[in-house]
Each structure stands twice: as C-alpha cells, then as structure tokens.
C-alpha cells in the first residue's frame, strides 16, 4: 500500500509545443461548399469520378460505332464501314511518319560535325582546303576535259568507219574506258565483291540508287544497258550518243505511252542473248544511301532471274548523294572532284527466282531486303515518287 503523505498531489500540466515541431496527427479538413462545387464541375475530380467518366466515354464510343454499323447495314451499303475502318491504319502510319519523319530522312544530306574548332587543328584544315581545291581539283578537271575530248572524237571515228557487230564491240569498250576516266577524276577507290556479271539471256540486274554515278561505277567493271529518264543539256547529249550505243532505254515520266514502250523493250532486251546485261534501279529515284525506299515491281514481272547488286558508299571522304532538285549534275560532279576520294563497295549476289505462290510485289520486297542487309541500309515502306 502506498505510504501516506501529508502533501497534496501535484497536478500535471501539459507543456506547450516547442517551435519547429509540427503535430503528426492528421487533421481532417471539412469539405466546404466550394470544394463540392469544384468536384461537381470537374475542377477537382476524385479518382472514382475520373474512372467512371472514362468508362462512360468508352461506352458512348462503342455505342456510336454500333449505331453507325447498324445504320450502314440498314441502308444496304455494307462496304462503307469497312473502308472507313481500313483507313484507320493509313492514318496511323501517316501520324507515325509525322513523328518519325522517316520519309524525309531518305533524302537528307549527311551532316559532318566540324572538327577544326581549336587552334592546332585549324591549320591542318586550311592545308586540306588548299590541297583539295588548288591541287586535286585542277588536276582532276584537266583529266576530265581530256577524257571528254578523247572519248567523243574516238566515238565519232568508230561510228563513221565501222558497222554492225564490229562497231558495237568498239563502242562498248570506249564506254567502259569512259566510265573509268570518271572514276579517276573522283579519286575513286571501288571494291567489287562476288562474281563478275556476264552477257547472258534471261537475267536482269537490280541495285539500290544513290546517284547517277552508280551506273558509272558499275559500268567500269562491266558495261550495262540501263533504263534512264531523258535529261537535257550535256547529259542528254551523252544519252543520245554513248548510251544509245549500248542499247539503253530512255523514257519520259510524263508520257503514259512511254510506260508501255518500256515494258515491251524490257522483255525484248532480256530475251536477246547478244545484248548487254540489263541494269535497273527499281527505287525510281536517288536515296541518300542510308535508307532504301520501295522497289517498283516492273523488273520483277519480266519472268526472268534477278541478280541483286548492293552499293555502299563511305561518306567520310565524299558526299555521293545527288538531290536533283538542289543541285545540277554538273555541280554534283564538281563537288566529287573537289573531295578527297569516292570510296565504295559493290556486292554482286546470287541470282534470285520468283518462288511458288509469290507475286511481283513480294519478290521485289524479298530482293530489297537482301540488298539492304548486305549494304547495311534501312528499308522504309515509302514510294520514292512521293519525293
């Protein structure tokens, strides 16, 4: 038992809270009338209100879709709704293209970062500019002009003195030497891989396309007959002389009759064993050698074997992409002559045939995948004519 004491018990007094220490007991804030109004009109939505609203939106959307389907069905036009639903995929691809912009990337020049930003690299850059524009360019341009004179004079003599197969033989050799002279003026370093193309019926060669110099690089190894758009100026004159001598096919994109003529001449060319190998660039336009647009199916509906050719340029030494709307071909050649070198690899792959149950579009896509994989470029699902 507690021991009795004569003193009265001291009452406990609670000390006031010290400054700087907050109470940890949660305090419920009473819901005011303004807060209830804000929640009602959406200014402050509770999670349950948001979830119920989302469900209502989805439910209303499904109801609208069902009502539209019933309305089209009752009207007797069952094909309208499927068309609208099929268009959603196209719209989705278009939206993704706007975000990714993969189409315009196919036609952009490569951006080389500046490296002459400090005091000890700037003198090296100045020396490089002097060598390129005041040593290499004048020497290469002189070789270019001499080769032009020698080719056209020799071509005229051969065309006047010889006839038949003898004329064709000499003209093909001159075209091959002419292509080699161009590569000399660029300081070209070209490596060829795979079996060399030869003249035989029932084969067509297809390659990715970066510039008109693709044809020159391939012709240096083996003269090809090619399909090319009709140009003006000195390039058109070259087409009307040298390229006609090797049975090249020219066309005009604006003439619908030219398409029928091209298809007919393609089939005749492939069946003739005495003509040069036929080269086609199925992209139909120049791409920057980092991407590959869709192939046209014309070369894959000829009923013959297709030999893929992959071309890959090293852009460290020169920009080989030619954008015809930004510069003429003459300006493109001048830029190549003033560069350090044109370095490229060319792969000749195994002939491909159309598989059972495979149409021309599927055949073209399979060959395009082979070229992209070999050259290390990215295939994109775009038509190059949209350029």
């Amino acid at each position: 038992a507690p021991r009795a004491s004569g003193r009265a018990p001291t009452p406990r007094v609670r000390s006031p809270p010290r400054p700087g220490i907050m109470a940890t007991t949660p305090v419920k804030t009473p819901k005011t009338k303004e807060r209830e109004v804000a929640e009602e009109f959406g200014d402050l939505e509770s999670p349950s209100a948001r979830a119920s609203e989302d469900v209502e939106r989805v439910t209303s959307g499904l109801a609208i879709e069902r009502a539209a389907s019933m309305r089209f069905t009752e009207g007797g036009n069952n094909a309208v709704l499927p068309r609208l639903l099929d268009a959603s995929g196209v719209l989705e691809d278009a939206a993704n293209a706007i975000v990714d912009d993969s189409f315009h990337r196919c036609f952009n020049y490569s951006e080389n970062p500046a490296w002459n930003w400090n005091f000890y690299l700037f003198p090296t850059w100045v020396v490089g500019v002097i060598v390129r524009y005041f040593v290499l360019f004048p020497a290469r341009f002189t070789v270019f002009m001499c080769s032009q004179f020698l080719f056209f004079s020799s071509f005229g003599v051969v065309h006047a003195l010889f006839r038949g197969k003898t004329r064709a033989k000499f003209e093909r050799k001159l075209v091959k030497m002419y292509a080699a002279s161009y590569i000399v003026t660029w300081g070209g370093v070209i490596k060829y891989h795979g079996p060399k193309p030869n003249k035989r019926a029932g084969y067509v060669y297809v390659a990715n396309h970066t510039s008109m110099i693709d044809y020159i690089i391939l012709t240096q190894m083996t003269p090809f007959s090619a399909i090319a758009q009709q140009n003006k100026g000195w390039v058109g004159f070259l087409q009307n002389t040298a390229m006609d001598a090797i049975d090249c096919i020219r066309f005009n994109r604006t003439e619908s009759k030219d398409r029928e003529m091209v298809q007919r001449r393609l089939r005749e060319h492939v069946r003739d064993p005495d003509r040069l190998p036929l080269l086609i660039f199925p992209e139909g336009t120049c791409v920057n050698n980092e991407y590959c647009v869709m192939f046209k199916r014309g070369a894959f509906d000829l009923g013959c074997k297709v030999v893929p050719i992959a071309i890959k340029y090293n852009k460290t030494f020169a920009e080989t992409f030619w954008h015809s709307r930004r510069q003429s071909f003459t300006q493109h050649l001048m830029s190549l002559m003033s560069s350090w070198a044109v370095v490229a690899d060319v792969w000749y792959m195994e002939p491909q045939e159309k598989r059972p149950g495979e149409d021309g579009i599927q055949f073209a896509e399979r060959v395009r995948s082979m070229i992209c994989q070999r050259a290390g470029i990215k295939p994109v699902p775009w038509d190059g004519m949209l350029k």
Side-chain angles (χ1 to χ4, degrees), residues 48 66 131 167 173 252 259 330 371 381:
S48 60
R66 293 193 188 98
V131 172
R167 175 200 285 182
K173 289 185 177 180
N252 192 345
R259 299 179 182 178
T330 303
I371 293 176

Side-chain angles (χ1 to χ4, degrees), residues 94 96-111 286-291 293 321 323 325-326 380 382-384 386-387:
N96 292 334
I98 294 175
V99 176
D100 185 45
D101 201 17
S102 60
F103 177 74
H104 292 287
R105 292 180 185 178
C106 301
F107 310 103
N108 290 337
Y109 290 96
S110 59
E111 298 181 0
C286 296
V287 189
N288 61 7
N289 205 234
E290 297 177 6
Y291 297 86
V293 297
F321 172 53
H323 199 306
R325 296 183 181 179
R326 297 183 181 179
V380 293
W382 297 110
D383 188 350
L386 296 174
K387 175 182 177 183

Side-chain angles (χ1 to χ4, degrees), residues 62-75:
L62 293 175
I64 293 173
E65 184 177 352
R66 293 193 188 98
S69 178
M70 294 175 61
R71 184 166 60 254
F72 285 124
T73 304
E74 292 174 357

Side-chain angles (χ1 to χ4, degrees), residues 126-368:
V126 171
V127 172
V129 170
I130 295 174
V131 172
R132 286 170 52 198
Y133 289 94
F134 296 97
V135 179
L136 294 180
F137 179 75
R140 293 171 176 176
F141 186 76
T142 303
V143 173
F144 173 78
M145 297 304 297
C146 293
S147 63
Q148 297 288 323
F149 174 77
L150 292 176
F151 171 75
F152 285 107
S153 59
S154 303
F155 190 87
V157 171
V158 170
H159 195 77
L161 297 181
F162 300 98
R163 294 290 185 273
K165 293 184 178 181
T166 305
R167 175 200 285 182
K169 180 180 179 181
F170 280 110
E171 287 178 344
R172 291 171 182 177
K173 289 185 177 180
L174 286 174
V175 170
K176 184 177 180 180
M177 295 174 61
Y178 187 52
S181 67
Y182 270 91
I183 296 179
V184 170
T185 61
W186 308 329
V189 181
I190 315 298
K191 295 182 180 180
Y192 299 91
H193 313 271
K196 179 181 177 181
N198 52 16
K199 185 172 61 175
R200 50 185 173 177
Y203 286 81
V204 62
Y205 293 79
V206 297
N208 57 308
H209 198 24
T210 304
S211 170
M212 286 180 63
I213 69 173
D214 299 336
Y215 176 78
I216 298 174
I217 288 175
L218 296 177
T219 302
Q220 180 198 219
M221 175 62 66
T222 301
F224 281 97
S225 297
I227 303 175
Q229 181 182 359
Q230 181 63 50
N231 291 279
K232 299 179 180 180
W234 69 274
V235 178
F237 175 73
L238 185 62
Q239 288 179 326
N240 297 331
T241 53
M243 298 189 73
D244 278 353
I246 54 179
D247 300 323
C248 288
I249 302 173
R250 302 192 310 275
F251 68 93
N252 192 345
R253 297 185 189 273
T254 59
E255 295 291 336
S256 59
K257 296 181 179 180
D258 285 2
R259 299 179 182 178
E260 301 176 359
M261 179 271 297
V262 167
Q263 287 292 332
R264 177 176 52 82
R265 291 190 61 182
L266 283 177
R267 298 182 185 277
E268 294 175 355
H269 191 107
V270 171
R271 297 191 187 100
D272 193 348
D274 294 330
R275 295 190 177 183
L276 292 174
L278 181 62
L279 175 65
I280 299 177
F281 298 104
E283 290 177 285
T285 187
C286 296
V287 189
N288 61 7
N289 205 234
E290 297 177 6
Y291 297 86
C292 184
V293 297
M294 296 173 60
F295 280 5
K296 305 294 187 299
R297 61 179 298 175
F300 303 90
D301 288 333
L302 298 176
C304 60
K305 294 183 179 180
V306 176
V307 182
I309 301 176
I311 306 174
K312 182 62 177 178
Y313 293 97
N314 188 337
K315 296 187 178 183
T316 304
F317 304 98
E319 175 57 74
T320 54
F321 172 53
W322 176 45
H323 199 306
S324 58
R325 296 183 181 179
R326 297 183 181 179
Q327 60 178 183
S328 64
F329 188 64
T330 303
Q331 294 173 333
H332 182 55
L333 288 181
M334 295 298 106
S335 65
L336 294 179
M337 291 182 189
S338 59
S339 63
W340 288 111
V342 173
V343 182
D345 287 273
V346 179
W347 290 274
Y348 300 101
M349 290 180 275
E350 294 295 328
Q352 302 296 316
E353 293 184 89
K354 187 181 294 185
R355 295 172 179 173
E358 190 176 45
D359 58 12
I361 297 177
Q362 295 171 342
F363 187 24
E365 184 63 24
R366 179 163 60 88
V367 172
R368 183 175 77 127

